[in-house]
Amino acid sequence: MKQNLLITTALAVMLSTVSAAELRIATVDLNEVFNNYYKTKVELEKLKGEAKKYEDRLKKLEGDFGQLKTQLERQQKNAADPALAPAERKRREAAMRDTYLRMKEIEQSSQNLQRASREKLLQKRKNVTEDLVKEITQIVTVRAKAGNYNFVLDTGEALDVVSGLGRAVVLFNDGQNDLTESILKQLNATNPDKTSAPKAPPKKGAEKKKK
């Protein structure tokens, strides 16, 4: 949010100092492009397939757990028979403990699988989104240069809440009308100890000539 505000403010300052005829600005709804790109749909289907595999494994564990639970309940009922000899009661109680331990193992396996699958799917979703956005941005850059645009702005909503990617705002910048050096100079002008003020960074491409 703060980054978007700073970029918007910088653009407003730039537009106030440069005539509209000198700047060419295009817009792209990156969210719409991303969601309707055929590769996005292909990759999301792959992720759904992987998620389905994890779901099937979890259902299998749930089924095994349910069977053991039924078995434990039956064992508990049988072990409660007052007519049992001490040795037989001890044997049945040992069998109950074994069943209970197997249930705990399955429960732990299920929790581990849920956690691991969630982390893996989220990371894959993030990687897929980043790769596709990079590919889309490359096309935007090519089109912007071909159309002699100075800027291409994203007018869409935040791209992907799940993957953690925010809104890019500026998809292309030709590097002209950069205010970095002048703003830094203005800020450092208020430094009471001007002898220790950092020097403004050299402009990109500038080379010092040695005499």
Side-chain angles (χ1 to χ4, degrees):
M1 180 66 71
K2 291 182 178 179
Q3 182 182 10
N4 293 350
L5 179 60
L6 288 173
I7 294 174
T8 303
T9 302
L11 286 173
V13 172
M14 188 179 299
L15 289 172
S16 66
T17 57
V18 182
S19 66
E22 295 175 327
L23 281 179
R24 283 175 54 81
I25 300 176
T27 61
V28 172
D29 188 332
L30 185 59
N31 191 45
E32 182 176 353
V33 173
F34 177 84
N35 289 330
N36 290 284
Y37 186 24
Y38 82 93
K39 284 189 178 181
T40 302
K41 298 177 181 179
V42 170
E43 294 300 329
L44 291 183
E45 283 300 318
K46 290 181 182 179
L47 289 176
K48 286 181 180 179
E50 292 189 35
K52 181 64 168 56
K53 292 179 181 179
Y54 284 120
E55 290 175 3
D56 292 341
R57 290 173 61 186
L58 286 171
K59 287 181 179 179
K60 174 66 167 55
L61 290 173
E62 290 174 1
D64 293 343
F65 184 88
Q67 290 178 359
L68 289 173
K69 182 180 179 181
T70 300
Q71 179 178 325
L72 180 62
E73 292 171 350
R74 184 172 59 252
Q75 289 173 328
Q76 289 173 329
K77 183 178 179 180
N78 293 336
D81 186 351
L84 289 176
E88 179 62 18
R89 186 183 305 279
K90 187 175 181 179
R91 186 187 69 79
R92 294 188 181 189
E93 288 176 348
M96 287 170 52
R97 286 194 296 271
D98 180 64
T99 301
Y100 175 76
L101 290 175
R102 288 165 62 193
M103 288 176 63
K104 295 299 292 183
E105 289 177 358
I106 291 178
E107 184 179 36
Q108 186 62 52
S109 296
S110 179
Q111 292 175 355
N112 291 342
L113 181 58
Q114 287 183 54
R115 182 170 55 254
S117 62
R118 181 169 57 251
E119 291 175 355
K120 288 181 179 179
L121 290 173
L122 283 175
Q123 185 60 49
K124 284 192 174 183
R125 174 67 180 264
K126 183 177 180 180
N127 292 341
V128 165
T129 302
E130 289 178 345
D131 290 343
L132 291 176
V133 168
K134 185 181 297 184
E135 185 175 337
I136 293 170
T137 304
Q138 289 174 347
I139 299 298
V140 170
T141 300
V142 172
R143 292 290 300 274
K145 290 180 178 179
N148 294 320
Y149 289 104
N150 303 101
F151 293 95
V152 177
L153 309 181
D154 178 16
T155 58
E157 298 295 329
L159 184 60
D160 192 341
V161 177
V162 175
S163 69
L165 294 181
R167 187 175 172 185
V169 182
V170 178
L171 301 178
F172 172 77
N173 177 8
D174 66 357
Q176 297 184 34
N177 304 308
D178 186 82
L179 301 175
T180 304
E181 185 175 349
S182 62
I183 288 177
L184 185 58
K185 183 177 180 181
Q186 181 177 345
L187 290 171
N188 287 332
T190 61
N191 187 353
D193 185 9
K194 294 185 178 181
T195 58
S196 62
K199 296 182 180 180
K203 293 183 178 179
K204 294 180 180 180
E207 297 180 358
K208 294 182 179 180
K209 297 181 179 179
K210 295 182 180 180
K211 293 184 178 180

